[in-house]
């Protein structure tokens, strides 16, 4: 710190999403003795160290056995406890069968706290968490949420543990938690999205932290005199049909943005909704292509695949023929 002023010489370190999860877990553990935490040999990486230290009798490390972690969570839920399985997105893939048969088919209240969802960056193609929306959203009884910032992650975790009754997944990315839209704290309501801006002709529906990049594109469009709508989708499953209908009625161009592969992801769900309800909508999905995403920083990869603010803006301009 500076001796003369007493101010820190380095900027304040902002909390990342894992830090926020760690704090929320401590609070949840304080308030409810039925809350238990499970990890698959990732106590530190998933942010469960504090919970482990404070509530050792309610913490379970099953080792590198994600399949067992999910089935074990199902057993705890069946016994009336509230298990939270904290796991990286790329590791949850190992337990796909157990998610379907042991949790969702039984409609048990297991909370999946999915860290490192989306692009993780330098860990490389084996760790990119770009498949979880696709392999979770089609499973009956599953609820899938994605927060736009740090506050919303905390609110969604509280909702998942204390309000939801069946299987629920909250997916959040690696890195510093967004502090944008902090003043917009609409309570979490089942299956309800959030209007960030109501406009006309163009609508952008963004998933989770992709809202920041989507908003950057909105600002570029506004500078040209356009007035796009922007929606924080919040729930990947179930989708907010009311907002999707309103967007289709008022906007001739709809763009979905997600930190996931295009195939079977959030954008696909939107297209399915419009098809199932015979709604004419001109929608384009902006997501990662059908490839394994290579190593690179998050910023580099979002830019390369057109999912940063500039890339989203350019995709919209191209679609508009401009």
């Amino acid at each position: 710190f500076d001796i003369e002023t007493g101010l820190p010489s380095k900027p304040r370190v902002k909390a990342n999403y894992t830090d926020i999860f760690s704090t929320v877990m401590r609070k949840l553990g304080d308030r409810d003795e039925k809350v238990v935490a499970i990890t698959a040999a990732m106590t530190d990486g998933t942010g469960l160290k504090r919970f482990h230290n404070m509530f050792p009798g309610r913490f379970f490390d099953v080792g590198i056995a994600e399949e067992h972690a999910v089935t074990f969570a199902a057993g705890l839920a069946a016994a009336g406890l509230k298990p939270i399985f904290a796991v990286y997105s790329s590791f949850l893939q190992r337990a796909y069968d157990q998610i379907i048969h042991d949790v969702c088919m039984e409609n048990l209240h297991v909370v999946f706290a999915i860290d490192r969802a989306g692009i993780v960056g330098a860990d490389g193609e084996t760790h990119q968490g770009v498949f979880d929306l696709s392999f979770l959203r089609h499973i009956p009884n599953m609820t899938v949420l994605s927060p736009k910032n740090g506050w919303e992650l905390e609110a969604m975790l509280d909702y998942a543990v204390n309000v939801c009754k069946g299987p629920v997944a909250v997916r959040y990315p690696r890195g510093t938690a967004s502090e944008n839209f902090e003043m917009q704290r609409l309570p979490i309501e089942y299956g309800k999205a959030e209007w960030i801006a109501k406009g006309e002709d163009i609508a952008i529906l963004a998933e989770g932290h992709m809202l920041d990049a989507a908003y950057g594109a909105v600002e570029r469009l506004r500078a040209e005199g356009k007035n796009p709508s922007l929606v924080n989708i919040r729930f990947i499953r179930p989708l907010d049909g009311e907002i999707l209908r309103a967007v289709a009625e008022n906007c001739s161009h709809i763009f979905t943005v997600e930190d996931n592969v295009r195939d079977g992801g959030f954008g696909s769900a939107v297209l399915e909704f419009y098809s199932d309800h015979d709604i004419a909508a001109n929608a384009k999905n902006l997501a990662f292509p059908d490839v394994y995403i290579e190593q690179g920083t998050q910023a580099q990869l979002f830019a390369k695949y057109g999912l940063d603010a500039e890339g989203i803006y350019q995709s919209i301009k191209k679609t508009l023929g401009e």
Side-chain angles (χ1 to χ4, degrees):
F1 62 91
D2 182 271
I3 294 177
E4 296 296 327
T5 64
L7 297 175
S9 56
K10 295 182 179 180
R12 176 175 65 90
V13 177
K14 296 181 179 181
N16 62 41
Y17 283 98
T18 305
D19 294 333
I20 293 170
F21 170 74
S22 177
T23 300
V24 173
M25 285 299 295
R26 178 188 60 77
K27 293 178 182 178
L28 291 170
D30 269 336
R31 297 168 186 165
D32 191 342
E33 292 184 353
K34 290 186 176 182
V35 170
V36 298
I38 303 168
T39 183
M42 294 291 290
T43 304
D44 289 344
T46 59
L48 285 177
K49 186 174 182 178
R50 270 196 284 180
F51 190 95
H52 173 215
N53 292 339
M54 295 181 68
F55 315 105
R58 289 188 272 147
F59 171 82
F60 304 95
D61 186 345
V62 303
I64 305 176
E66 288 80 3
E67 303 92 337
H68 173 59
V70 173
T71 299
F72 178 51
L76 294 175
L81 298 176
K82 298 178 180 180
I84 296 102
F85 177 31
V87 60
Y88 286 7
S89 173
S90 57
F91 299 160
L92 185 60
Q93 296 162 181
R94 301 168 180 169
Y96 184 65
D97 180 68
Q98 288 73 21
I99 294 170
I100 293 176
H101 288 96
D102 298 338
V103 175
C104 292
M105 193 172 291
E106 308 302 325
N107 199 23
L108 293 169
H109 185 203
V110 173
V111 177
F112 296 93
I114 307 176
D115 200 338
R116 268 56 168 190
I119 290 295
V120 298
D123 286 338
E125 63 185 23
T126 58
H127 282 58
Q128 309 289 19
V130 294
F131 302 109
D132 58 82
L133 290 183
S134 300
F135 72 73
L136 289 176
R137 75 164 184 87
H138 64 266
I139 304 176
N141 294 328
M142 177 65 82
T143 297
V144 183
L145 302 95
S146 189
K148 69 176 184 286
N149 57 21
W151 171 83
E152 201 161 83
L153 172 59
E154 182 172 356
M156 285 183 175
L157 288 168
D158 183 73
Y159 177 88
V161 172
N162 295 312
V163 179
C164 279
K165 302 301 181 184
V168 55
V170 182
R171 57 114 60 181
Y172 46 96
R174 181 182 193 173
T176 303
S178 172
E179 295 180 344
N180 294 329
F181 312 105
E182 277 287 334
M183 300 308 294
Q184 294 185 237
R185 298 194 171 191
L186 187 71
I188 308 299
E189 185 179 350
Y190 184 70
K192 292 297 182 182
E194 174 189 38
W195 286 104
I196 301 298
K198 289 186 178 182
E200 55 193 12
D201 192 39
I202 301 168
I204 306 176
L205 314 179
E207 167 270 321
H209 74 122
M210 299 304 293
L211 190 69
D212 285 352
Y215 185 70
V218 166
E219 289 186 316
R220 287 163 169 78
L221 293 168
R222 284 175 175 170
E224 299 176 354
K226 296 180 174 63
N227 182 29
S229 292
L230 180 61
V231 174
N232 168 29
I233 204 68
R234 283 187 161 182
F235 283 80
I236 310 302
R237 177 190 172 98
L239 291 171
D240 188 335
E242 182 179 350
I243 279 186
L244 291 184
R245 287 185 175 89
V247 164
E249 289 174 2
N250 297 311
C251 300
S252 56
H253 297 280
I254 302 169
F255 299 86
T256 67
V257 183
E258 63 192 294
D259 194 359
N260 193 78
V261 293
R262 181 180 295 109
D263 295 4
F266 156 57
S268 294
V270 171
L271 294 178
E272 290 163 12
F273 176 88
Y274 287 138
S275 175
D276 291 344
H277 294 85
D278 297 320
I279 298 173
N282 182 14
K284 182 179 180 64
N285 302 341
L286 304 181
F288 287 99
D290 184 25
V291 298
Y292 291 105
I293 307 301
E294 68 276 26
Q295 176 174 311
T297 67
Q298 290 172 304
Q300 287 172 334
L301 294 172
F302 284 127
K304 176 177 179 177
Y305 290 98
L307 291 171
D308 60 355
E310 180 65 20
I312 295 168
Y313 165 74
Q314 292 295 343
S315 292
I316 293 172
K317 293 286 285 182
K318 182 178 179 181
T319 301
L320 297 177
E322 299 177 5

